[in-house]
PDB file of all heavy atoms in Angstrom:
ATOM      1  N   ARG A  21     -32.431  20.780 -30.332  1.00  0.00           N
ATOM      2  CA  ARG A  21     -31.222  20.048 -30.704  1.00  0.00           C
ATOM      3  C   ARG A  21     -29.980  20.906 -30.487  1.00  0.00           C
ATOM      4  O   ARG A  21     -28.968  20.430 -30.007  1.00  0.00           O
ATOM      5  CB  ARG A  21     -31.304  19.619 -32.170  1.00  0.00           C
ATOM      6  CG  ARG A  21     -32.272  18.474 -32.377  1.00  0.00           C
ATOM      7  CD  ARG A  21     -32.431  18.166 -33.850  1.00  0.00           C
ATOM      8  NE  ARG A  21     -31.147  17.906 -34.499  1.00  0.00           N
ATOM      9  CZ  ARG A  21     -30.942  18.057 -35.810  1.00  0.00           C
ATOM     10  NH1 ARG A  21     -31.914  18.476 -36.590  1.00  0.00           N
ATOM     11  NH2 ARG A  21     -29.762  17.796 -36.320  1.00  0.00           N
ATOM     12  N   ASN A  25     -27.015  20.161 -27.832  1.00  0.00           N
ATOM     13  CA  ASN A  25     -25.637  20.143 -28.285  1.00  0.00           C
ATOM     14  C   ASN A  25     -24.758  21.076 -27.453  1.00  0.00           C
ATOM     15  O   ASN A  25     -23.702  20.709 -26.983  1.00  0.00           O
ATOM     16  CB  ASN A  25     -25.584  20.549 -29.762  1.00  0.00           C
ATOM     17  CG  ASN A  25     -24.226  20.232 -30.358  1.00  0.00           C
ATOM     18  OD1 ASN A  25     -23.693  19.145 -30.138  1.00  0.00           O
ATOM     19  ND2 ASN A  25     -23.659  21.169 -31.080  1.00  0.00           N
ATOM     20  N   ALA A  28     -24.191  19.674 -24.029  1.00  0.00           N
ATOM     21  CA  ALA A  28     -23.229  18.566 -24.070  1.00  0.00           C
ATOM     22  C   ALA A  28     -21.811  19.092 -24.199  1.00  0.00           C
ATOM     23  O   ALA A  28     -20.897  18.627 -23.509  1.00  0.00           O
ATOM     24  CB  ALA A  28     -23.562  17.625 -25.227  1.00  0.00           C
ATOM     25  N   MET A  29     -21.633  20.076 -25.078  1.00  0.00           N
ATOM     26  CA  MET A  29     -20.293  20.635 -25.278  1.00  0.00           C
ATOM     27  C   MET A  29     -19.791  21.278 -23.984  1.00  0.00           C
ATOM     28  O   MET A  29     -18.646  21.108 -23.595  1.00  0.00           O
ATOM     29  CB  MET A  29     -20.293  21.675 -26.396  1.00  0.00           C
ATOM     30  CG  MET A  29     -20.710  21.166 -27.756  1.00  0.00           C
ATOM     31  SD  MET A  29     -19.638  19.874 -28.410  1.00  0.00           S
ATOM     32  CE  MET A  29     -20.774  18.523 -28.477  1.00  0.00           C
ATOM     33  N   THR A  36     -13.528  18.074 -18.516  1.00  0.00           N
ATOM     34  CA  THR A  36     -12.082  18.201 -18.704  1.00  0.00           C
ATOM     35  C   THR A  36     -11.480  19.112 -17.652  1.00  0.00           C
ATOM     36  O   THR A  36     -10.440  18.827 -17.072  1.00  0.00           O
ATOM     37  CB  THR A  36     -11.793  18.739 -20.111  1.00  0.00           C
ATOM     38  OG1 THR A  36     -12.560  17.989 -21.043  1.00  0.00           O
ATOM     39  CG2 THR A  36     -10.321  18.622 -20.445  1.00  0.00           C
ATOM     40  N   LEU A  99      12.856  -9.802 -24.265  1.00  0.00           N
ATOM     41  CA  LEU A  99      12.896 -11.087 -24.975  1.00  0.00           C
ATOM     42  C   LEU A  99      11.481 -11.661 -25.133  1.00  0.00           C
ATOM     43  O   LEU A  99      11.134 -12.161 -26.197  1.00  0.00           O
ATOM     44  CB  LEU A  99      13.787 -12.072 -24.212  1.00  0.00           C
ATOM     45  CG  LEU A  99      15.278 -11.694 -24.207  1.00  0.00           C
ATOM     46  CD1 LEU A  99      16.097 -12.738 -23.449  1.00  0.00           C
ATOM     47  CD2 LEU A  99      15.812 -11.528 -25.628  1.00  0.00           C
ATOM     48  N   TYR A 107       7.907 -14.361 -33.225  1.00  0.00           N
ATOM     49  CA  TYR A 107       7.769 -15.813 -33.347  1.00  0.00           C
ATOM     50  C   TYR A 107       6.339 -16.300 -33.145  1.00  0.00           C
ATOM     51  O   TYR A 107       5.982 -17.343 -33.623  1.00  0.00           O
ATOM     52  CB  TYR A 107       8.672 -16.510 -32.332  1.00  0.00           C
ATOM     53  CG  TYR A 107      10.125 -16.406 -32.645  1.00  0.00           C
ATOM     54  CD1 TYR A 107      10.872 -15.328 -32.222  1.00  0.00           C
ATOM     55  CD2 TYR A 107      10.754 -17.386 -33.420  1.00  0.00           C
ATOM     56  CE1 TYR A 107      12.218 -15.225 -32.523  1.00  0.00           C
ATOM     57  CE2 TYR A 107      12.095 -17.289 -33.738  1.00  0.00           C
ATOM     58  CZ  TYR A 107      12.826 -16.217 -33.290  1.00  0.00           C
ATOM     59  OH  TYR A 107      14.148 -16.110 -33.589  1.00  0.00           O
ATOM     60  N   PHE A 119      -2.575 -11.931 -24.130  1.00  0.00           N
ATOM     61  CA  PHE A 119      -3.785 -11.683 -23.367  1.00  0.00           C
ATOM     62  C   PHE A 119      -3.489 -11.658 -21.872  1.00  0.00           C
ATOM     63  O   PHE A 119      -3.878 -10.742 -21.153  1.00  0.00           O
ATOM     64  CB  PHE A 119      -4.754 -12.831 -23.676  1.00  0.00           C
ATOM     65  CG  PHE A 119      -6.181 -12.512 -23.423  1.00  0.00           C
ATOM     66  CD1 PHE A 119      -6.891 -11.721 -24.294  1.00  0.00           C
ATOM     67  CD2 PHE A 119      -6.817 -13.010 -22.288  1.00  0.00           C
ATOM     68  CE1 PHE A 119      -8.203 -11.429 -24.060  1.00  0.00           C
ATOM     69  CE2 PHE A 119      -8.140 -12.718 -22.054  1.00  0.00           C
ATOM     70  CZ  PHE A 119      -8.831 -11.927 -22.945  1.00  0.00           C
ATOM     71  N   ASP A 122      -1.601  -8.619 -20.774  1.00  0.00           N
ATOM     72  CA  ASP A 122      -2.478  -7.456 -20.596  1.00  0.00           C
ATOM     73  C   ASP A 122      -3.172  -7.494 -19.243  1.00  0.00           C
ATOM     74  O   ASP A 122      -3.409  -6.458 -18.623  1.00  0.00           O
ATOM     75  CB  ASP A 122      -3.532  -7.411 -21.709  1.00  0.00           C
ATOM     76  CG  ASP A 122      -2.956  -6.793 -22.971  1.00  0.00           C
ATOM     77  OD1 ASP A 122      -1.807  -6.303 -22.894  1.00  0.00           O
ATOM     78  OD2 ASP A 122      -3.620  -6.816 -24.007  1.00  0.00           O
ATOM     79  N   LEU A 125      -0.813  -6.624 -16.506  1.00  0.00           N
ATOM     80  CA  LEU A 125      -0.601  -5.168 -16.556  1.00  0.00           C
ATOM     81  C   LEU A 125      -1.515  -4.440 -15.566  1.00  0.00           C
ATOM     82  O   LEU A 125      -1.142  -3.421 -14.999  1.00  0.00           O
ATOM     83  CB  LEU A 125      -0.875  -4.687 -17.978  1.00  0.00           C
ATOM     84  CG  LEU A 125      -0.350  -3.345 -18.429  1.00  0.00           C
ATOM     85  CD1 LEU A 125       1.158  -3.311 -18.366  1.00  0.00           C
ATOM     86  CD2 LEU A 125      -0.803  -3.072 -19.848  1.00  0.00           C
ATOM     87  N   PHE A 135       2.188 -12.961  -3.708  1.00  0.00           N
ATOM     88  CA  PHE A 135       2.800 -14.017  -4.510  1.00  0.00           C
ATOM     89  C   PHE A 135       4.289 -14.131  -4.192  1.00  0.00           C
ATOM     90  O   PHE A 135       4.795 -15.203  -3.868  1.00  0.00           O
ATOM     91  CB  PHE A 135       2.573 -13.680  -5.984  1.00  0.00           C
ATOM     92  CG  PHE A 135       3.274 -14.573  -6.962  1.00  0.00           C
ATOM     93  CD1 PHE A 135       3.287 -15.955  -6.804  1.00  0.00           C
ATOM     94  CD2 PHE A 135       3.928 -14.029  -8.066  1.00  0.00           C
ATOM     95  CE1 PHE A 135       3.931 -16.756  -7.728  1.00  0.00           C
ATOM     96  CE2 PHE A 135       4.573 -14.827  -8.989  1.00  0.00           C
ATOM     97  CZ  PHE A 135       4.584 -16.198  -8.816  1.00  0.00           C
ATOM     98  N   TYR A 137       5.790 -13.002  -1.572  1.00  0.00           N
ATOM     99  CA  TYR A 137       5.927 -13.441  -0.184  1.00  0.00           C
ATOM    100  C   TYR A 137       5.885 -14.960  -0.101  1.00  0.00           C
ATOM    101  O   TYR A 137       6.718 -15.569   0.549  1.00  0.00           O
ATOM    102  CB  TYR A 137       4.806 -12.840   0.677  1.00  0.00           C
ATOM    103  CG  TYR A 137       4.848 -13.304   2.112  1.00  0.00           C
ATOM    104  CD1 TYR A 137       5.672 -12.682   3.045  1.00  0.00           C
ATOM    105  CD2 TYR A 137       4.089 -14.398   2.519  1.00  0.00           C
ATOM    106  CE1 TYR A 137       5.735 -13.127   4.335  1.00  0.00           C
ATOM    107  CE2 TYR A 137       4.160 -14.852   3.832  1.00  0.00           C
ATOM    108  CZ  TYR A 137       4.975 -14.209   4.729  1.00  0.00           C
ATOM    109  OH  TYR A 137       5.054 -14.657   6.021  1.00  0.00           O
ATOM    110  N   GLN A 197      17.998 -15.772 -38.151  1.00  0.00           N
ATOM    111  CA  GLN A 197      16.891 -15.101 -37.454  1.00  0.00           C
ATOM    112  C   GLN A 197      17.333 -14.395 -36.174  1.00  0.00           C
ATOM    113  O   GLN A 197      16.936 -13.285 -35.886  1.00  0.00           O
ATOM    114  CB  GLN A 197      15.820 -16.148 -37.117  1.00  0.00           C
ATOM    115  CG  GLN A 197      14.607 -15.601 -36.417  1.00  0.00           C
ATOM    116  CD  GLN A 197      13.514 -15.216 -37.394  1.00  0.00           C
ATOM    117  OE1 GLN A 197      13.331 -15.843 -38.425  1.00  0.00           O
ATOM    118  NE2 GLN A 197      12.783 -14.171 -37.084  1.00  0.00           N
ATOM    119  N   TRP A 198      18.198 -15.057 -35.379  1.00  0.00           N
ATOM    120  CA  TRP A 198      18.552 -14.461 -34.089  1.00  0.00           C
ATOM    121  C   TRP A 198      19.344 -13.181 -34.288  1.00  0.00           C
ATOM    122  O   TRP A 198      19.184 -12.200 -33.567  1.00  0.00           O
ATOM    123  CB  TRP A 198      19.316 -15.447 -33.222  1.00  0.00           C
ATOM    124  CG  TRP A 198      20.684 -15.832 -33.716  1.00  0.00           C
ATOM    125  CD1 TRP A 198      20.986 -16.863 -34.566  1.00  0.00           C
ATOM    126  CD2 TRP A 198      21.913 -15.200 -33.390  1.00  0.00           C
ATOM    127  NE1 TRP A 198      22.318 -16.892 -34.791  1.00  0.00           N
ATOM    128  CE2 TRP A 198      22.929 -15.891 -34.086  1.00  0.00           C
ATOM    129  CE3 TRP A 198      22.261 -14.109 -32.586  1.00  0.00           C
ATOM    130  CZ2 TRP A 198      24.276 -15.542 -34.003  1.00  0.00           C
ATOM    131  CZ3 TRP A 198      23.603 -13.761 -32.500  1.00  0.00           C
ATOM    132  CH2 TRP A 198      24.600 -14.458 -33.208  1.00  0.00           C
ATOM    133  N   LEU A 232       5.423  -3.906   1.074  1.00  0.00           N
ATOM    134  CA  LEU A 232       5.129  -3.992   2.501  1.00  0.00           C
ATOM    135  C   LEU A 232       5.562  -5.307   3.110  1.00  0.00           C
ATOM    136  O   LEU A 232       6.124  -5.353   4.194  1.00  0.00           O
ATOM    137  CB  LEU A 232       3.623  -3.787   2.752  1.00  0.00           C
ATOM    138  CG  LEU A 232       3.079  -2.378   2.500  1.00  0.00           C
ATOM    139  CD1 LEU A 232       1.565  -2.375   2.635  1.00  0.00           C
ATOM    140  CD2 LEU A 232       3.707  -1.399   3.463  1.00  0.00           C
ATOM    141  N   HIS A 268       5.230  14.528   8.932  1.00  0.00           N
ATOM    142  CA  HIS A 268       4.446  14.760   7.722  1.00  0.00           C
ATOM    143  C   HIS A 268       5.261  15.548   6.708  1.00  0.00           C
ATOM    144  O   HIS A 268       5.210  15.293   5.511  1.00  0.00           O
ATOM    145  CB  HIS A 268       3.170  15.523   8.033  1.00  0.00           C
ATOM    146  CG  HIS A 268       2.185  14.728   8.836  1.00  0.00           C
ATOM    147  ND1 HIS A 268       1.046  15.260   9.381  1.00  0.00           N
ATOM    148  CD2 HIS A 268       2.203  13.428   9.173  1.00  0.00           C
ATOM    149  CE1 HIS A 268       0.389  14.329  10.025  1.00  0.00           C
ATOM    150  NE2 HIS A 268       1.065  13.208   9.918  1.00  0.00           N
ATOM    151  N   ALA A 275       7.367  12.553  -0.982  1.00  0.00           N
ATOM    152  CA  ALA A 275       6.321  12.488  -2.002  1.00  0.00           C
ATOM    153  C   ALA A 275       6.693  13.332  -3.206  1.00  0.00           C
ATOM    154  O   ALA A 275       6.496  12.941  -4.347  1.00  0.00           O
ATOM    155  CB  ALA A 275       4.991  12.946  -1.398  1.00  0.00           C
ATOM    156  N   VAL A 282       8.833  10.293 -11.123  1.00  0.00           N
ATOM    157  CA  VAL A 282       7.914   9.523 -11.956  1.00  0.00           C
ATOM    158  C   VAL A 282       7.374  10.383 -13.115  1.00  0.00           C
ATOM    159  O   VAL A 282       7.335   9.945 -14.259  1.00  0.00           O
ATOM    160  CB  VAL A 282       6.745   8.996 -11.085  1.00  0.00           C
ATOM    161  CG1 VAL A 282       5.628   8.474 -11.945  1.00  0.00           C
ATOM    162  CG2 VAL A 282       7.260   7.906 -10.156  1.00  0.00           C
ATOM    163  N   ARG A 290       7.416  10.353 -23.268  1.00  0.00           N
ATOM    164  CA  ARG A 290       6.552  11.002 -24.244  1.00  0.00           C
ATOM    165  C   ARG A 290       7.394  11.692 -25.321  1.00  0.00           C
ATOM    166  O   ARG A 290       7.094  11.641 -26.515  1.00  0.00           O
ATOM    167  CB  ARG A 290       5.686  12.034 -23.517  1.00  0.00           C
ATOM    168  CG  ARG A 290       4.388  12.342 -24.167  1.00  0.00           C
ATOM    169  CD  ARG A 290       3.520  13.108 -23.205  1.00  0.00           C
ATOM    170  NE  ARG A 290       2.784  12.211 -22.330  1.00  0.00           N
ATOM    171  CZ  ARG A 290       1.675  11.608 -22.681  1.00  0.00           C
ATOM    172  NH1 ARG A 290       1.179  11.779 -23.885  1.00  0.00           N
ATOM    173  NH2 ARG A 290       1.041  10.819 -21.843  1.00  0.00           N
TER     174      ARG A 290
ATOM    175  N   HIS H  25      21.855 -21.990 -33.301  1.00  0.00           N
ATOM    176  CA  HIS H  25      21.702 -20.735 -32.579  1.00  0.00           C
ATOM    177  C   HIS H  25      20.260 -20.237 -32.629  1.00  0.00           C
ATOM    178  O   HIS H  25      19.728 -19.751 -31.639  1.00  0.00           O
ATOM    179  CB  HIS H  25      22.639 -19.658 -33.151  1.00  0.00           C
ATOM    180  CG  HIS H  25      24.075 -19.963 -32.898  1.00  0.00           C
ATOM    181  ND1 HIS H  25      25.095 -19.473 -33.685  1.00  0.00           N
ATOM    182  CD2 HIS H  25      24.660 -20.732 -31.949  1.00  0.00           C
ATOM    183  CE1 HIS H  25      26.245 -19.925 -33.218  1.00  0.00           C
ATOM    184  NE2 HIS H  25      25.991 -20.693 -32.174  1.00  0.00           N
ATOM    185  N   ASP H  26      19.675 -20.381 -33.789  1.00  0.00           N
ATOM    186  CA  ASP H  26      18.275 -19.952 -33.922  1.00  0.00           C
ATOM    187  C   ASP H  26      17.379 -20.706 -32.965  1.00  0.00           C
ATOM    188  O   ASP H  26      16.493 -20.143 -32.338  1.00  0.00           O
ATOM    189  CB  ASP H  26      17.800 -20.155 -35.372  1.00  0.00           C
ATOM    190  CG  ASP H  26      17.995 -18.899 -36.186  1.00  0.00           C
ATOM    191  OD1 ASP H  26      18.345 -17.871 -35.575  1.00  0.00           O
ATOM    192  OD2 ASP H  26      17.820 -18.944 -37.422  1.00  0.00           O
ATOM    193  N   PHE H  29      18.052 -19.556 -29.453  1.00  0.00           N
ATOM    194  CA  PHE H  29      17.517 -18.210 -29.324  1.00  0.00           C
ATOM    195  C   PHE H  29      15.992 -18.254 -29.151  1.00  0.00           C
ATOM    196  O   PHE H  29      15.416 -17.658 -28.258  1.00  0.00           O
ATOM    197  CB  PHE H  29      17.885 -17.407 -30.568  1.00  0.00           C
ATOM    198  CG  PHE H  29      17.448 -15.973 -30.529  1.00  0.00           C
ATOM    199  CD1 PHE H  29      17.980 -15.105 -29.586  1.00  0.00           C
ATOM    200  CD2 PHE H  29      16.504 -15.496 -31.438  1.00  0.00           C
ATOM    201  CE1 PHE H  29      17.578 -13.781 -29.553  1.00  0.00           C
ATOM    202  CE2 PHE H  29      16.106 -14.171 -31.390  1.00  0.00           C
ATOM    203  CZ  PHE H  29      16.639 -13.311 -30.453  1.00  0.00           C
ATOM    204  N   ARG H  30      15.411 -19.054 -30.048  1.00  0.00           N
ATOM    205  CA  ARG H  30      13.951 -19.153 -30.034  1.00  0.00           C
ATOM    206  C   ARG H  30      13.465 -19.705 -28.684  1.00  0.00           C
ATOM    207  O   ARG H  30      12.481 -19.225 -28.115  1.00  0.00           O
ATOM    208  CB  ARG H  30      13.546 -20.102 -31.163  1.00  0.00           C
ATOM    209  CG  ARG H  30      12.064 -20.120 -31.440  1.00  0.00           C
ATOM    210  CD  ARG H  30      11.732 -21.318 -32.326  1.00  0.00           C
ATOM    211  NE  ARG H  30      10.313 -21.532 -32.262  1.00  0.00           N
ATOM    212  CZ  ARG H  30       9.479 -21.100 -33.212  1.00  0.00           C
ATOM    213  NH1 ARG H  30       9.945 -20.495 -34.260  1.00  0.00           N
ATOM    214  NH2 ARG H  30       8.188 -21.299 -33.074  1.00  0.00           N
ATOM    215  N   LEU H  33      13.712 -17.091 -25.943  1.00  0.00           N
ATOM    216  CA  LEU H  33      12.609 -16.141 -26.044  1.00  0.00           C
ATOM    217  C   LEU H  33      11.320 -16.751 -25.513  1.00  0.00           C
ATOM    218  O   LEU H  33      10.575 -16.136 -24.773  1.00  0.00           O
ATOM    219  CB  LEU H  33      12.399 -15.717 -27.499  1.00  0.00           C
ATOM    220  CG  LEU H  33      13.495 -14.883 -28.163  1.00  0.00           C
ATOM    221  CD1 LEU H  33      12.995 -14.364 -29.507  1.00  0.00           C
ATOM    222  CD2 LEU H  33      13.889 -13.723 -27.285  1.00  0.00           C
ATOM    223  N   GLY H  46       1.163 -18.385 -11.337  1.00  0.00           N
ATOM    224  CA  GLY H  46       1.795 -18.506 -10.022  1.00  0.00           C
ATOM    225  C   GLY H  46       1.090 -17.663  -8.991  1.00  0.00           C
ATOM    226  O   GLY H  46       0.862 -18.104  -7.864  1.00  0.00           O
ATOM    227  N   SER H  50      -0.418 -19.514  -5.885  1.00  0.00           N
ATOM    228  CA  SER H  50       0.196 -19.309  -4.583  1.00  0.00           C
ATOM    229  C   SER H  50      -0.807 -18.713  -3.594  1.00  0.00           C
ATOM    230  O   SER H  50      -0.775 -19.057  -2.419  1.00  0.00           O
ATOM    231  CB  SER H  50       1.431 -18.408  -4.702  1.00  0.00           C
ATOM    232  OG  SER H  50       1.049 -17.118  -5.076  1.00  0.00           O
ATOM    233  N   PHE H 109     -14.579  16.184 -25.251  1.00  0.00           N
ATOM    234  CA  PHE H 109     -13.864  17.442 -25.392  1.00  0.00           C
ATOM    235  C   PHE H 109     -12.629  17.274 -26.263  1.00  0.00           C
ATOM    236  O   PHE H 109     -12.369  18.058 -27.174  1.00  0.00           O
ATOM    237  CB  PHE H 109     -13.450  17.944 -24.000  1.00  0.00           C
ATOM    238  CG  PHE H 109     -12.715  19.250 -24.022  1.00  0.00           C
ATOM    239  CD1 PHE H 109     -13.396  20.460 -24.134  1.00  0.00           C
ATOM    240  CD2 PHE H 109     -11.324  19.267 -23.938  1.00  0.00           C
ATOM    241  CE1 PHE H 109     -12.700  21.654 -24.166  1.00  0.00           C
ATOM    242  CE2 PHE H 109     -10.625  20.469 -23.965  1.00  0.00           C
ATOM    243  CZ  PHE H 109     -11.329  21.668 -24.079  1.00  0.00           C
ATOM    244  N   ILE H 113     -14.462  18.771 -29.411  1.00  0.00           N
ATOM    245  CA  ILE H 113     -14.631  20.190 -29.090  1.00  0.00           C
ATOM    246  C   ILE H 113     -13.330  20.990 -29.185  1.00  0.00           C
ATOM    247  O   ILE H 113     -13.264  22.029 -29.832  1.00  0.00           O
ATOM    248  CB  ILE H 113     -15.197  20.364 -27.657  1.00  0.00           C
ATOM    249  CG1 ILE H 113     -16.470  19.538 -27.510  1.00  0.00           C
ATOM    250  CG2 ILE H 113     -15.472  21.839 -27.402  1.00  0.00           C
ATOM    251  CD1 ILE H 113     -17.017  19.529 -26.107  1.00  0.00           C
ATOM    252  N   GLU H 127      -3.555  12.362 -18.768  1.00  0.00           N
ATOM    253  CA  GLU H 127      -2.870  11.077 -18.593  1.00  0.00           C
ATOM    254  C   GLU H 127      -1.834  11.118 -17.482  1.00  0.00           C
ATOM    255  O   GLU H 127      -1.482  10.090 -16.919  1.00  0.00           O
ATOM    256  CB  GLU H 127      -2.269  10.613 -19.921  1.00  0.00           C
ATOM    257  CG  GLU H 127      -3.314   9.853 -20.730  1.00  0.00           C
ATOM    258  CD  GLU H 127      -2.845   9.468 -22.101  1.00  0.00           C
ATOM    259  OE1 GLU H 127      -1.642   9.236 -22.266  1.00  0.00           O
ATOM    260  OE2 GLU H 127      -3.702   9.394 -23.015  1.00  0.00           O
ATOM    261  N   GLY H 131      -0.052   8.733 -13.876  1.00  0.00           N
ATOM    262  CA  GLY H 131       1.351   8.542 -13.505  1.00  0.00           C
ATOM    263  C   GLY H 131       1.633   8.853 -12.046  1.00  0.00           C
ATOM    264  O   GLY H 131       2.635   8.428 -11.503  1.00  0.00           O
ATOM    265  N   PHE H 143      -4.694  14.205   3.932  1.00  0.00           N
ATOM    266  CA  PHE H 143      -4.405  15.523   4.503  1.00  0.00           C
ATOM    267  C   PHE H 143      -5.247  16.641   3.903  1.00  0.00           C
ATOM    268  O   PHE H 143      -5.453  17.669   4.532  1.00  0.00           O
ATOM    269  CB  PHE H 143      -2.923  15.876   4.311  1.00  0.00           C
ATOM    270  CG  PHE H 143      -2.022  15.015   5.145  1.00  0.00           C
ATOM    271  CD1 PHE H 143      -0.933  14.385   4.572  1.00  0.00           C
ATOM    272  CD2 PHE H 143      -2.266  14.830   6.489  1.00  0.00           C
ATOM    273  CE1 PHE H 143      -0.101  13.582   5.335  1.00  0.00           C
ATOM    274  CE2 PHE H 143      -1.435  14.040   7.256  1.00  0.00           C
ATOM    275  CZ  PHE H 143      -0.358  13.417   6.674  1.00  0.00           C
ATOM    276  N   GLY H 217     -26.983  16.976 -41.411  1.00  0.00           N
ATOM    277  CA  GLY H 217     -27.362  18.057 -40.507  1.00  0.00           C
ATOM    278  C   GLY H 217     -27.292  17.713 -39.047  1.00  0.00           C
ATOM    279  O   GLY H 217     -27.861  18.411 -38.205  1.00  0.00           O
ATOM    280  N   TRP H 221     -23.021  16.612 -30.964  1.00  0.00           N
ATOM    281  CA  TRP H 221     -23.512  15.712 -29.926  1.00  0.00           C
ATOM    282  C   TRP H 221     -24.217  14.515 -30.522  1.00  0.00           C
ATOM    283  O   TRP H 221     -24.031  13.378 -30.111  1.00  0.00           O
ATOM    284  CB  TRP H 221     -24.434  16.470 -28.975  1.00  0.00           C
ATOM    285  CG  TRP H 221     -25.170  15.573 -28.029  1.00  0.00           C
ATOM    286  CD1 TRP H 221     -26.493  15.294 -28.043  1.00  0.00           C
ATOM    287  CD2 TRP H 221     -24.593  14.821 -26.945  1.00  0.00           C
ATOM    288  NE1 TRP H 221     -26.809  14.417 -27.042  1.00  0.00           N
ATOM    289  CE2 TRP H 221     -25.652  14.117 -26.347  1.00  0.00           C
ATOM    290  CE3 TRP H 221     -23.310  14.679 -26.432  1.00  0.00           C
ATOM    291  CZ2 TRP H 221     -25.467  13.275 -25.262  1.00  0.00           C
ATOM    292  CZ3 TRP H 221     -23.115  13.854 -25.343  1.00  0.00           C
ATOM    293  CH2 TRP H 221     -24.187  13.164 -24.770  1.00  0.00           C
ATOM    294  N   GLU H 222     -25.065  14.795 -31.538  1.00  0.00           N
ATOM    295  CA  GLU H 222     -25.808  13.702 -32.167  1.00  0.00           C
ATOM    296  C   GLU H 222     -24.881  12.724 -32.871  1.00  0.00           C
ATOM    297  O   GLU H 222     -25.090  11.513 -32.827  1.00  0.00           O
ATOM    298  CB  GLU H 222     -26.844  14.266 -33.153  1.00  0.00           C
ATOM    299  CG  GLU H 222     -28.046  14.842 -32.432  1.00  0.00           C
ATOM    300  CD  GLU H 222     -28.871  15.781 -33.300  1.00  0.00           C
ATOM    301  OE1 GLU H 222     -28.403  16.122 -34.414  1.00  0.00           O
ATOM    302  OE2 GLU H 222     -29.950  16.172 -32.861  1.00  0.00           O
ATOM    303  N   ARG H 246      -8.840  -1.630 -12.227  1.00  0.00           N
ATOM    304  CA  ARG H 246      -7.912  -0.796 -11.467  1.00  0.00           C
ATOM    305  C   ARG H 246      -8.482  -0.476 -10.090  1.00  0.00           C
ATOM    306  O   ARG H 246      -7.794  -0.555  -9.079  1.00  0.00           O
ATOM    307  CB  ARG H 246      -7.681   0.525 -12.192  1.00  0.00           C
ATOM    308  CG  ARG H 246      -6.856   0.393 -13.382  1.00  0.00           C
ATOM    309  CD  ARG H 246      -5.421   0.702 -13.030  1.00  0.00           C
ATOM    310  NE  ARG H 246      -4.571   0.160 -14.050  1.00  0.00           N
ATOM    311  CZ  ARG H 246      -3.262   0.086 -13.987  1.00  0.00           C
ATOM    312  NH1 ARG H 246      -2.666   0.516 -12.890  1.00  0.00           N
ATOM    313  NH2 ARG H 246      -2.568  -0.416 -14.946  1.00  0.00           N
ATOM    314  N   ARG H 291      -3.719 -15.218   8.806  1.00  0.00           N
ATOM    315  CA  ARG H 291      -2.911 -15.053   7.597  1.00  0.00           C
ATOM    316  C   ARG H 291      -3.559 -15.751   6.414  1.00  0.00           C
ATOM    317  O   ARG H 291      -3.645 -15.213   5.318  1.00  0.00           O
ATOM    318  CB  ARG H 291      -1.502 -15.585   7.851  1.00  0.00           C
ATOM    319  CG  ARG H 291      -0.661 -15.659   6.609  1.00  0.00           C
ATOM    320  CD  ARG H 291       0.803 -15.591   6.919  1.00  0.00           C
ATOM    321  NE  ARG H 291       1.171 -14.254   7.356  1.00  0.00           N
ATOM    322  CZ  ARG H 291       2.417 -13.865   7.612  1.00  0.00           C
ATOM    323  NH1 ARG H 291       3.395 -14.722   7.485  1.00  0.00           N
ATOM    324  NH2 ARG H 291       2.675 -12.640   7.980  1.00  0.00           N
ATOM    325  N   LEU H 310     -10.665  -9.717 -17.960  1.00  0.00           N
ATOM    326  CA  LEU H 310     -10.945 -10.609 -19.089  1.00  0.00           C
ATOM    327  C   LEU H 310     -12.055 -10.023 -19.946  1.00  0.00           C
ATOM    328  O   LEU H 310     -11.944  -9.916 -21.171  1.00  0.00           O
ATOM    329  CB  LEU H 310     -11.367 -11.968 -18.538  1.00  0.00           C
ATOM    330  CG  LEU H 310     -11.236 -13.175 -19.454  1.00  0.00           C
ATOM    331  CD1 LEU H 310      -9.777 -13.513 -19.639  1.00  0.00           C
ATOM    332  CD2 LEU H 310     -11.984 -14.360 -18.867  1.00  0.00           C
ATOM    333  N   ARG H 313     -10.781  -6.952 -21.819  1.00  0.00           N
ATOM    334  CA  ARG H 313      -9.953  -7.232 -22.996  1.00  0.00           C
ATOM    335  C   ARG H 313     -10.769  -7.803 -24.147  1.00  0.00           C
ATOM    336  O   ARG H 313     -10.539  -7.479 -25.305  1.00  0.00           O
ATOM    337  CB  ARG H 313      -8.828  -8.204 -22.628  1.00  0.00           C
ATOM    338  CG  ARG H 313      -7.826  -7.630 -21.662  1.00  0.00           C
ATOM    339  CD  ARG H 313      -7.102  -6.437 -22.259  1.00  0.00           C
ATOM    340  NE  ARG H 313      -6.355  -5.725 -21.231  1.00  0.00           N
ATOM    341  CZ  ARG H 313      -5.763  -4.562 -21.421  1.00  0.00           C
ATOM    342  NH1 ARG H 313      -5.833  -3.955 -22.592  1.00  0.00           N
ATOM    343  NH2 ARG H 313      -5.127  -3.978 -20.451  1.00  0.00           N
TER     344      ARG H 313
END
Side-chain angles (χ1 to χ4, degrees):
Chain A
R21 286 174 55 204
N25 193 45
M29 299 298 116
T36 312
L99 293 181
Y107 289 87
F119 202 76
D122 279 353
L125 199 61
F135 173 45
Y137 177 84
Q197 181 92 34
W198 67 271
L232 291 174
H268 292 171
V282 167
R290 206 168 275 279
Chain H
H25 292 156
D26 267 352
F29 183 64
R30 191 194 164 99
L33 292 190
S50 67
F109 180 81
I113 307 174
E127 274 175 31
F143 291 130
W221 169 251
E222 284 162 351
R246 287 265 161 190
R291 171 155 289 185
L310 201 72
R313 294 297 167 188

